[in-house]
Amino acid sequence: VHGYVEVDTLRERVESGRWTDMYADEFEVGAALELAVTLLDWRAREQPPAVLSLAEAWGGHSEAVCEAARALEGQESDEPMYGAPDREFWPLGTRPDLERAGALVLDRFRRRLRDGMGLPAKVAMALSKAAFELADNAIQHSGADENAPAGGAFGFQVEGRKIAFAVADRGRGVLASLRTNPLWSHLGSSAEALSSAVRLQASRRQRGKGYGFQDLLVALADLSGVLRFGSSEAVLLCNGHGAAREWRNRKRRPLAGFHASFTIEIQ
Ligand SMILES: Nc1ncnc2c1ncn2[C@@H]1O[C@H](COP(=O)(O)OP(=O)(O)OP(=O)(O)O)[C@@H](O)[C@H]1O
Ligand SMILES: [Mg+2]
């Protein structure tokens, strides 16, 4: 299964005009979403990269990338209500969509973790709730108007003892959203904005702190895995769990929106 190294490399090569064929296989849901966002953005440009069709064919080898792209374009999966899929993508719409259709998808995720994987009910619930928080954030913060969010999608995958889930939107990104609050208007980069939001409880809301990311980190505290947050050219990575968390910053080619993804290994 391919991850971010390949997506970052591909984006770098295409945009610097150094495409050479790369081996394409299957992608993790978060990487699939980032690649799908990238392909949609390239396609929407007035002057798409010369090798766009090659890159699209490359991504088209991956079912996850195709499913992610369909969700980003607003197509719902046709999973039955009580299905137990190993992987599912879902298009983010408005807040009422998230509370109705979206809640059913998140409930499938929860049941897949509890019944299919045998996770304690509390842990399965916490992971599903964490995914809800991220989706809710995308709806509330991706656009200038909460009632008109930028498009995005949510995805999860369960494979053996591995769980992955991710949310990606194509909106204004974390720097633009935080800067609307005078308290945070001094922020100078997406990297700063990203760690302020994720680690320091910065919020664009005037009333003070944000609790979404905080709750998410608490929910994941006893699980080991990798958390990846990305916005524009900034990537924030976290390894390990609880007090032993290690944070790292990375750079990538700018990509519109906010992207969060989690890969968890259950012992
Ligand atoms: N998808 C996103 N796009 C742009 N900015 C985002 C996105 N998600 C989060 N943010 C920024 O990160 C901040 C912190 O998010 P967090 O979920 O921790 O708190 P909140 O959403 O502000 O409040 P709460 O979750 O407690 O209702 C948000 O206020 C927003 O500025
Ligand atoms: Mg929030």
Side-chain angles (χ1 to χ4, degrees), residues 10-32:
L10 170 83
R11 298 179 60 237
E12 173 66 33
R13 289 193 190 170
V14 169
E15 303 217 1
S16 59
R18 289 184 293 113
W19 171 275
T20 50
D21 215 2
M22 286 169 63
Y23 175 67
D25 191 2
E26 199 43 280
F27 287 83
E28 280 173 8
V29 285

Side-chain angles (χ1 to χ4, degrees), residues 82 107 111 115 125 138 178 186 194 209 217 229 239 245:
Y82 291 106
D107 197 53
R111 283 187 283 110
D115 306 335
M125 185 67 212
L178 272 183
H186 63 277
L194 204 48
K209 288 183 173 178
L217 294 179
F229 303 91
N239 267 313
R245 277 197 171 118

Side-chain angles (χ1 to χ4, degrees), residues 191-243:
E192 270 180 72
L194 204 48
S195 52
S196 303
V198 175
R199 303 185 61 189
L200 304 177
Q201 293 190 267
S203 171
R204 75 176 174 85
R205 295 185 207 291
Q206 309 286 331
R207 59 157 163 77
K209 288 183 173 178
Y211 293 95
F213 288 124
Q214 177 85 347
D215 290 352
L216 189 110
L217 294 179
V218 170
L220 300 174
D222 295 330
L223 302 166
S224 36
V226 180
L227 324 182
R228 168 164 159 137
F229 303 91
S231 192
S232 193
E233 77 289 349
V235 174
L236 178 63
L237 291 166
C238 179
N239 267 313
H241 52 87

